[in-house]
Each structure stands twice: as C-alpha cells, then as structure tokens.
Amino acid sequence: MTPSTITWTQTDEAPALATRAFLPILQAYVKNTGVEFEIADISLTGRIIANFPDHLTDEQKIPDYLTELGKLAQKPEANIIKLPNISASIPQLQAAIKELKEKGYDIPEYPEEPQNEDEKALQARFAVVLGSAVNPVLREGNSDRRPAASVKKFAQMHPHKMMRPWPESGSKARVAHMKEKDFYESEKSTTLERAADVKIEFVDKKGQITVLKENLSLLKGEVIDTAVMHVAALRRFYEEQIEEAKKNGVLLSLHLKATMMKISDPIMFGHCVSVYYKGALEKHADTLKKIGANVNHGLADVLEKLDRLPTDKKAEIEADIQTVYQTRPALAMVDSRKGITNLHVPNNIIVDASMPNVVRDGGKMWNKDDELQDCIAMVPDRCYATMYKEILEDAKKNGQFDPATMGSLSNVGLMAQKAEEYGSHDKTFEAPEAGKIRVVDDSGNVLLEQIVEPGDIFRMCQAKDIPIRDWIKLAVKRARATGTPTVFWLDENRGHDAEIIKKVKKYLPDHDTTGLDIRIMKPQDAMKFSLERIRKGKDTISVTGNVLRDYLTDLFPILELGTSARMLSIVPLLNGGGLFETGAGGSAPKHVQQFLKEGHLRWDSLGEYCALVPSFELIAERTGNQKAAILAETLDQAIAKYLENGRLPSRKVNEIDNRGSTFYLALYWAEALAAQQKESSIRTCFVQVAKALEENEDKITEELLSAQGSPVDIGGYYLPDSMKATQAMRPSVTFNTIIDAI
C-alpha cells in the first residue's frame, strides 16, 4: 500500500508548542496504517529563512515550504492540517529578524522607508512574509466552518464562564463608523466580459501617468473592484469620536486588522495615533521625522525611537505625550499593568478577536485601573462595522447571550484562489498627491477609476468566477445537508456585493434548491435575522465573502464556545484535496507568555483533534484505506470522551494544561482503538498501549503537573530551540516511554 501523507504545518507560538506534545503521539498511532505525517515549516521565521537563502549557510537553509504547499494544495492528493500562524505586522517582523540575527542568521534589516532601488527591492522581498502571507497561498478552496456536534453539545452542557452581563441600567457602549467617504461608499465594481491583462496607474492633475502595478492577468467572468478610504474624512471621524468619548466618559478603542490588511489598516491605525496624540506629535514633528518614528507602527515605535535622542530631548517629548492624556479620553488598555494602550502596537487589538470580547464583556474594555468600562469601539469602514453595531445594540436591548441555549451561526466562506484579499496584497496604494487612480485593460479601456487626494488609501480586489461558483455550490450543499436557513450576507448598495449578487442569482438555478430556505440580506439585516434565531436556540448558515468569513467565525464561536479555536474548519480544495484549519490563534501570544513565566500552557488543541477526523476520513474515502477510517472513527469517540470528562486545559497554573489534555486524548484514543473490532492488528497493539497508559495515569499526570510552576527556557520566541522546546512539552518520562515504544 502506498502511504497517504498528511502534511502538518509547523507554525508559531502556542500552536507550535502544542505540536511538540501532540505530533509524536500522532506519528506513533498511525504506524502500519498506511498513513504518514510530514512537517512543513510555515512559521514566521521559517518564511523569513526560506526567502533569504543567499544570506545563510547551508546548515541554516530550509526549503520554501509555503510555496511547496501552495503547489500541493492544487493537487487532488493534498491533505493539509493548517495550524494558526502569525500574520506578521512590521513590528513582529522586526522582532523576528532581531531574534534570528542574535542566533547567527544574517538576515537583512527590514527597510521601513526605502531610500534607493536596492532597499525597495528588499522591502518587496519581505512583502511575501508580512500579513496574510500564508492563507491566500494555501486556500485553493472555499471554507466550511462550524462547531463539531460533540463540541457544541459539550458547550451547552458545560457553558463557559466568561460571559459578563450587560447592565440593566443601560450601557454607553457603541460601535462608531464613518458615514461618508469610506471604502463602502467609494467602492466600484465590474465583471470582466473577456480575459485581459490590466494595469493600475496614477494620473496626477497635470495628466502625468505613473504605473503602480502592471501585468495583472484577469479571467473572463472575474469580479474586480476598487475603493478609496479618504483620509481627511477618516481623521475627522477620529476627532469626532475622541470628543464624544471624552464628553461621555467612556473608553476609546480602535478595531482594525493590521495583520490581514497589512497595507491599508496600519495606515488607518497611524492616522488614529497621530490624531489622538497630535498635541505632542505635531509639536515635535521635525524631530520625530529625523529619528524615523512611524505612527503606523503605533505609539510604541515613537517611544522606542526616542532612545536615539539626547536624554533631555527624549524626556521633553515623553512628558508632552503624557500631557496628552489630560485632555483626551481614556484609551482601552491591552495591558494596564504595563501601560500598553489600544494605540500602542497595531497588531495588539485585532477586530475579529477584540469585538467578540466587547460583546462578551457587556460592552466594556479594560481601563488603566484594570477595571472594565464602557467603550466606543471605532470600526471606521461601513463594509462590516454595521453588523458589529447590530449585535451590540441587540445585546443592549436583550441582554447577554447564553452559551447553554444559544444557537450556532456556521459559515460558508468565499476565499479560494485569493478571493477578496482586501488590503493584504500588492494592489493597495497610498495616493502620492491629488489625482486619480484607475484600472486600465490591455486595449486602453478604463475599467474602474477613483478620484484621490494626497494620502488616500486605494485598494483593488478580485474574485474569480470558478471560486464563486464553487462557493454557491458549497452553500447549497450545506443547506441541503442541514435543512437550515442559509443567508448570503450581501449588500446591493455596495459595489462589489452588487456584482456578487448577480452571480448568485445566475448560478443558484444550476442547483436543486427545492424546499431550501436561501436568502440574500445585507450584513446588518442578516445579523438581525441570525440573532433572532440564535436567541431561540436555532442555527443559521451564513454565506459570506472572505473578510466576513474571518470575522463571523471568531465572533460567534467566542460567544458560544469560549474560543474560536474549537471550530471545525474544512476547506474542500477545488482540485479534490482537503485543507483542514484548526482554529484561531489570537490569544496564542498570551499563552506563550504564561508558559514562559509559569510553565503552564493553556492552549486548547481541540481544534487540531477535530481537524484530524475529516483528514483521516478523506484518506479512507479517497483510497479505501479501512485503517484510516478506524483512526477517524476512534478519534471522534476519544474527543467525545475527552469533552465529557472535562479534560480541557485550565487557565491556571498547577492545574491541567495542554500537555495533560494531550495525554488524556491519547489515553481515550488508545482505549477506543483497543475496543474496536474491525481491525485485529490495531486492536492487539493498542490493548497493550491502553493498558500501560491506564495503569500509569497517576504517575504521568504527576510528572506533567510537576513540570509547572516555574519559568521555562525554550531558547527563543519566534525560533525556539528545538531540543529545549520539545523537552518542555514532553516532560513525562513515563508517558514518552510508552508512546515511543509503539
């Protein structure tokens, strides 16, 4: 039998640490089953190292796993387990480079403001590492995300304790968004009638043309759109909300996604920093420019660059920054103990992870006194702000959601072949001066055009016809399989959505929709409809574009399950393979910080466990491998027992952590493999394994718990020392001996 390969991605932070505990078990359990695991390093440091082989020794070089995985994803044999990775912001990239250099890797510094052609080329070279560098490459299919039945059942029987009541006396919390001149209002879209090569060009007031992007090949039927964020209006919006927050005595917070939207959102973030701190920043503008302070990287970059100044000048600017807080509203805090605010670093508060917490915490965020306080949540662009506004207003009116009774909102998401990669690619630009930015085809026809002022943010996006057809087909398939009302979240008043609605109406008749409840609703109305059902314990399927897929599949799982890491995320690839994503990594940094400080890793690997079931099933379905089917069936049984017995990691040190959870998953899986009657060779092997694990349960759990309670050295954050990290994650000699002997 030719072995079937599951590619397990090595990523970053807590998921990468958890892999060191779990993967040895997987490799042991699949021996002699016709299933193999291979590792592909797509971590941030792995991506950096792979892109700079000319700077490294032969021993330091690694393959470009991301490119290889991108090619694999287009093949029918693809079977990829995708763990959360860092979608790096520039500060994260710089921190990773610093760590690599300290370890002897001759990686060049990232040029924030390139001064010549060589530095521009170097910046472009780093661009493939930043932001959503991984997902667009691997996602050669559309997304099917939902809570596994066993996970949802457990969440209802054992609801998480993180929900805080919305005050009956009323809340000042609200979502604030722009009312004009945002991406939503300016968006223009068209569907190509023929294949064409296009370019993006800037035309100044004198008619001089600068080509911004060329040789962009588009297909017949492809939807393209352009939009502009007008920064003058954006800055007015920020100033208005600052004044409102001060007047109403509420916290001010900004919610963007400066990792996925790696070009547009850092700029929008920087404008907020410069407006809030303008009293100090404008006073010292010349000095800050000379030292290279960049507000797009947050206040932290400004403070860090002050070290380049004489002591007295540094103290003067720091004092002026502190004076700002006397006249401005209080900011929401990321870490009140360290004085880290919402405007400190652009990747500290990410909208899809932060807004669910605002709902969960009763419309509040943390203030400088480490207490919860009502907040204004600024989500500037109306493309998605309205749905967050709707859920906040619903919670104000109807109170907090109950995880024990609430229904689910699963999702079918359009993302195949880089669909709707807003702001994370090479088609987003900052206007150099007043003029227009336009998309021109190879016949000289202007397809789309936007009027811009200096500093305005222009973006162009695309969605190919084949992924859109597949997305519609997947939506109908899920509707048919569940009998659940299925809603396309599309707004006819938005340029892009209007074109997608035409596609939906064109391709839906290709499928049997008899008896199905399929609707098209704008996001605000779709949210209202879904919330009415959710509060009655009823499920709904959302069918959305790429960004809403991302936002919704964090929002509702965090409320329902306590974390989006417990979602089942299946990506049926267009060419027949499968990509299985294991959940969100938004809290992974905090998990690592706790592990390094206390030796306790609270990362929940339930997402990895759940993803493996359909991965094994795909092998069985594709090859007829009965042993793979048994692995899937018994793992599913083990997950159910794991949940029933409450073996999830605790948040507190000296209680069960990820390593203990991994042990119990291994124990229950071994018991299920020993009990199955379909394959005697597997049963014979695992009778002994299960017996050894059961007999040594107390000893193993004692060894695992004794590893907690003190600081841990894993030899690095972005690039841990392999031996140190593995030893830290496999501290039980007894457990290791049993597993390694299989």
Side-chain angles (χ1 to χ4, degrees):
M1 178 189 297
T2 302
S4 297
T5 300
I6 297 174
T7 304
W8 186 278
T9 55
Q10 177 181 321
T11 57
D12 308 280
E13 298 176 324
L17 287 174
T19 286
R20 295 182 183 275
F22 187 41
L23 191 59
I25 296 166
L26 285 176
Q27 292 169 324
Y29 278 38
V30 301
K31 285 179 182 177
N32 302 314
T33 65
V35 178
E36 294 180 348
F37 283 90
E38 69 176 14
I39 309 300
D41 184 353
I42 59 170
S43 65
L44 175 55
T45 52
R47 302 191 315 260
I48 296 170
I49 292 168
N51 275 283
F52 289 92
D54 49 320
H55 288 251
L56 306 174
T57 66
D58 288 342
E59 291 75 21
Q60 291 173 329
K61 293 176 185 177
I62 66 171
D64 185 353
Y65 286 109
L66 181 56
T67 297
E68 292 179 6
L69 276 186
K71 294 176 181 176
L72 176 62
Q74 299 179 46
K75 297 179 180 179
E77 64 267 27
N79 193 325
I80 303 167
I81 303 289
K82 161 64 173 63
L83 278 71
N85 60 276
I86 292 176
S87 296
S89 64
I90 289 174
Q92 286 173 303
L93 173 67
Q94 291 170 325
I97 292 170
K98 180 181 179 183
E99 184 174 320
L100 285 169
K101 292 174 81 71
E102 289 171 350
K103 294 182 176 180
Y105 290 81
D106 186 25
I107 304 295
E109 299 286 354
Y110 176 78
E112 291 182 35
E113 298 180 3
Q115 302 299 312
N116 52 51
E117 290 304 315
D118 287 344
E119 290 189 355
K120 288 180 181 177
L122 185 56
Q123 190 181 61
R125 198 169 173 183
F126 273 115
V128 299
V129 175
L130 285 164
S132 291
V134 172
N135 293 335
V137 175
L138 300 187
R139 286 171 170 168
E140 285 291 319
N142 293 308
S143 169
D144 172 10
R145 287 200 87 191
R146 58 188 188 274
S150 58
V151 174
K152 179 63 176 177
K153 181 179 178 182
F154 173 81
Q156 291 177 319
M157 292 176 63
H158 306 278
H160 66 88
K161 308 298 184 184
M162 292 182 282
M163 304 295 271
R164 299 172 187 268
W166 280 73
E168 293 183 7
S169 58
S171 168
K172 293 182 180 179
R174 63 182 178 87
V175 171
H177 58 70
M178 297 170 69
K179 294 182 173 62
E180 61 174 358
K181 297 188 175 182
D182 55 355
F183 286 128
Y184 175 87
E185 181 179 84
S186 65
E187 191 169 70
K188 299 176 182 178
S189 187
T190 188
T191 300
L192 269 69
E193 296 180 356
R194 64 173 181 89
D197 288 339
V198 306
K199 59 185 175 181
I200 305 172
E201 55 187 30
F202 170 72
V203 185
D204 68 16
K205 292 287 189 179
K206 297 178 181 178
Q208 296 294 314
I209 297 174
T210 302
V211 176
L212 302 176
K213 173 79 176 177
E214 56 186 343
N215 301 320
L216 179 59
S217 296
L218 304 177
L219 302 176
K220 180 181 179 181
E222 192 159 354
V223 176
I224 63 169
D225 52 86
T226 64
V228 171
M229 172 60 72
H230 295 277
V231 298
L234 176 68
R235 293 176 69 87
R236 285 196 302 273
F237 164 74
Y238 286 146
E239 190 63 68
E240 289 166 1
Q241 301 314 312
I242 288 169
E243 292 175 6
E244 284 291 312
K246 182 70 173 177
K247 184 174 73 174
N248 293 319
V250 298
L251 297 178
L252 183 75
S253 60
L254 177 63
H255 302 261
L256 296 168
K257 189 152 189 175
T259 49
M260 176 191 280
M261 319 292 195
K262 68 179 182 183
I263 299 173
S264 60
D265 282 28
I267 297 171
M268 293 165 65
F269 184 90
H271 281 295
C272 191
V273 174
S274 67
V275 170
Y276 184 89
Y277 293 99
K278 69 179 180 181
L281 300 183
E282 289 180 359
K283 177 180 177 182
H284 300 285
D286 292 341
T287 301
L288 294 173
K289 184 177 181 180
K290 287 177 183 176
I291 61 176
N294 189 339
V295 291
N296 292 0
H297 301 165
L299 181 67
D301 189 77
V302 176
L303 296 175
E304 181 182 330
K305 298 287 173 57
L306 294 182
D307 289 338
R308 301 176 181 181
L309 295 172
T311 303
D312 58 341
K313 189 63 176 177
K314 174 185 175 182
E316 178 191 349
I317 297 176
E318 287 178 333
D320 286 340
I321 289 173
Q322 288 302 312
T323 300
V324 168
Y325 297 116
Q326 298 174 15
T327 58
R328 292 303 211 183
L331 292 173
M333 304 299 289
V334 172
D335 190 333
S336 54
R337 291 165 297 178
K338 297 180 180 179
I340 297 175
T341 76
N342 181 222
L343 299 182
H344 204 70
V345 180
N347 56 277
N348 266 350
I349 290 190
I350 304 300
V351 60
D352 49 337
S354 59
M355 283 306 299
N357 290 347
V358 174
V359 179
R360 185 195 68 191
D361 290 339
K364 302 174 186 292
M365 294 184 74
W366 295 98
N367 63 23
K368 62 183 177 63
D369 299 320
D370 206 26
E371 296 174 345
L372 285 169
Q373 182 178 341
D374 286 352
C375 68
I376 290 179
M378 295 187 293
V379 185
D381 181 42
R382 282 174 290 167
C383 289
Y384 309 109
T386 56
M387 67 100 178
Y388 284 126
K389 186 174 184 177
E390 183 64 37
I391 192 170
L392 245 69
E393 294 306 313
D394 177 273
K396 278 187 187 181
K397 179 181 177 181
N398 299 308
Q400 190 56 276
F401 297 89
D402 184 354
T405 60
M406 65 187 294
S408 292
L409 186 78
S410 58
N411 180 265
V412 174
L414 174 62
M415 64 179 192
Q417 298 182 347
K418 303 183 180 180
E420 299 186 0
E421 285 296 324
Y422 294 106
S424 63
H425 46 58
D426 55 356
K427 294 182 284 295
T428 301
F429 303 96
E430 201 170 6
E433 54 185 293
K436 53 190 175 185
I437 299 178
R438 62 192 188 188
V439 180
V440 183
D441 71 12
D442 43 20
S443 298
N445 300 310
V446 176
L447 301 180
L448 297 168
E449 184 175 272
Q450 296 282 356
I451 304 299
V452 293
E453 296 296 326
D456 285 353
I457 306 164
F458 168 95
R459 71 182 188 196
M460 173 188 163
C461 295
Q462 55 197 113
K464 296 177 174 62
D465 187 63
I466 289 176
I468 294 170
R469 290 191 190 205
D470 179 78
W471 171 63
I472 294 166
K473 180 179 74 173
L474 183 58
V476 175
K477 180 180 178 181
R478 292 301 305 152
R480 178 66 63 193
T482 62
T484 301
T486 300
V487 182
F488 285 85
W489 292 44
L490 297 168
D491 184 348
E492 71 276 5
N493 296 315
R494 181 183 166 194
H496 171 79
D497 283 12
E499 292 298 306
I500 299 296
I501 288 172
K502 293 177 187 176
K503 297 270 191 182
V504 173
K505 291 181 177 179
K506 178 180 178 181
Y507 294 135
L508 264 182
D510 294 343
H511 308 281
D512 179 12
T513 59
T514 306
L516 303 181
D517 183 349
I518 297 178
R519 312 180 185 203
I520 299 173
M521 306 174 77
K522 63 182 180 182
Q524 187 171 2
D525 294 340
M527 175 63 81
K528 185 174 183 179
F529 172 77
S530 302
L531 292 176
E532 289 173 354
R533 294 181 55 80
I534 283 167
R535 287 192 179 276
K536 296 175 182 177
K538 297 179 179 179
D539 298 341
T540 313
I541 297 173
S542 60
V543 189
T544 72
N546 192 13
V547 179
L548 267 178
R549 169 204 59 80
D550 200 32
Y551 293 1
L552 289 176
T553 54
D554 271 326
L555 175 58
F556 285 99
I558 286 173
L559 300 179
E560 288 178 66
L561 313 176
T563 172
S564 56
R566 296 175 186 166
M567 288 285 279
L568 185 62
S569 184
I570 300 172
V571 182
L573 299 173
L574 296 177
N575 290 329
L579 174 70
F580 306 94
E581 299 184 288
T582 67
S587 58
K590 293 181 180 179
H591 293 189
V592 178
Q593 291 161 16
Q594 183 183 16
F595 183 66
L596 297 178
K597 182 180 178 181
E598 301 180 335
H600 179 93
L601 185 68
R602 69 178 191 257
W603 175 259
D604 183 358
S605 288
L606 184 59
E608 291 96 301
Y609 308 156
C610 290
L612 278 163
V613 174
S615 175
F616 287 135
E617 289 173 341
L618 179 63
I619 292 173
E621 177 185 326
R622 194 161 53 193
T623 68
N625 182 342
Q626 179 66 13
K627 292 181 179 179
I630 291 170
L631 289 170
E633 182 180 343
T634 52
L635 177 56
D636 194 42
Q637 294 167 2
I639 292 169
K641 189 170 182 180
Y642 167 89
L643 290 169
E644 289 166 8
N645 291 340
R647 301 302 187 182
L648 288 78
S650 166
R651 299 171 68 88
K652 297 179 180 178
V653 67
N654 297 322
E655 297 180 0
I656 186 171
D657 76 346
N658 178 274
R659 295 166 293 185
S661 295
T662 299
F663 160 68
Y664 278 106
L665 191 281
L667 169 61
Y668 300 148
W669 196 5
E671 290 173 341
L673 287 164
Q676 59 80 31
Q677 300 296 316
K678 296 177 181 177
E679 179 60 53
S680 60
S681 62
I682 292 178
R683 183 173 67 253
T684 300
C685 171
F686 280 94
V687 163
Q688 299 302 317
V689 175
K691 184 172 184 290
L693 292 175
E694 289 164 3
E695 290 177 347
N696 288 280
E697 177 183 353
D698 291 343
K699 186 177 182 182
I700 291 170
T701 55
E702 182 180 341
E703 290 173 350
L704 292 174
L705 285 171
S706 67
Q708 297 188 39
S710 57
V712 176
D713 175 20
I714 58 173
Y717 184 90
Y718 293 97
L719 185 65
D721 178 272
S722 182
M723 184 174 295
K724 288 182 177 179
T726 299
Q727 288 175 344
M729 290 306 299
R730 300 190 74 198
S732 170
V733 174
T734 307
F735 186 29
N736 298 345
T737 300
I738 296 169
I739 296 301
D740 296 345
I742 295 175

